[in-house]
Amino acid sequence: MSADIGAESKKSTDGFSEEERAAIKERAAELRKEANRGRGNKAAAEELDVLSKIAEMEPSDRTMAERIHAIVTTNAPELSPKLWYGQPAYARKGKVVCFFRSGNTDKEPYSTFSFTSEAKLADDSGLWPTSFAVTELSDEVAKTITALVKKAVS
């Protein structure tokens, strides 16, 4: 057991994993790209970046990401698509409200659809969801995502 603890602490002191380093590099490239874009075509270029990223995904994630993109852009047109840590995200006034993370990209068993603190989901209960595992996008799941997106921007 003590060997496991030592290996675990060595692993955590080595820094970021390969996937984390890749996400950091992607985010730095996104920020550089944003800084170099003119104001006129920025929104269209950012949406094209998101659609390109979705097109690169594995088929199962691509299908979910395309449908989530349609749900968000239809039900919350005030949110602007943009890449965030290399994944599709939707922002209000530059601040990300919700985002999709590919399980295949993250080497996880499922993808996630999540909300940041910019989403207006907080309530008086003291407990509310901010991240959802998504393995398939049934009509029922799509209705739930639609309701959450509408609430997030209300």
Side-chain angles (χ1 to χ4, degrees):
M1 184 164 175
S2 64
D4 290 339
I5 293 171
E8 204 49 50
S9 64
K10 172 123 174 81
K11 189 187 271 184
S12 65
T13 59
D14 286 344
F16 297 109
S17 70
E18 264 184 59
E19 291 84 13
E20 290 168 329
R21 277 195 223 66
I24 291 167
K25 285 179 183 177
E26 277 196 73
R27 182 64 181 142
E30 291 164 10
L31 291 171
R32 283 190 298 275
K33 191 185 255 186
E34 284 177 19
N36 292 330
R37 283 192 174 139
R39 280 189 152 300
N41 292 328
K42 186 176 179 181
E46 286 181 334
E47 182 163 18
L48 184 58
D49 289 344
V50 167
L51 294 173
S52 295
K53 179 54 86 173
I54 292 171
E56 294 170 5
M57 292 179 180
E58 294 292 322
S60 59
D61 279 348
R62 182 174 52 243
T63 300
M64 286 189 291
E66 287 171 343
R67 193 155 178 210
I68 287 172
H69 179 77
I71 289 168
V72 174
T73 56
T74 300
N75 292 286
E78 63 270 36
L79 297 182
S80 304
K82 66 183 280 176
L83 289 179
W84 194 50
Y85 295 98
Q87 297 292 308
Y90 304 87
R92 179 180 34 229
K93 297 180 182 174
K95 296 189 180 208
V96 172
V97 173
C98 55
F99 58 96
F100 177 82
R101 293 221 39 102
S102 163
N104 286 312
T105 300
D106 290 342
K107 298 181 181 167
E108 295 289 340
Y110 51 81
S111 297
T112 57
F113 184 66
S114 304
F115 296 88
T116 69
S117 58
E118 292 295 318
K120 297 178 181 174
L121 296 177
D123 61 33
D124 294 335
S125 71
L127 178 71
W128 56 89
T130 61
S131 187
F132 298 85
V134 184
T135 57
E136 68 176 80
L137 208 53
S138 66
D139 289 341
E140 190 64 32
V141 171
K143 285 179 190 175
T144 300
I145 290 173
T146 299
L148 286 166
V149 166
K150 287 178 177 181
K151 183 176 181 185
V153 298
S154 64

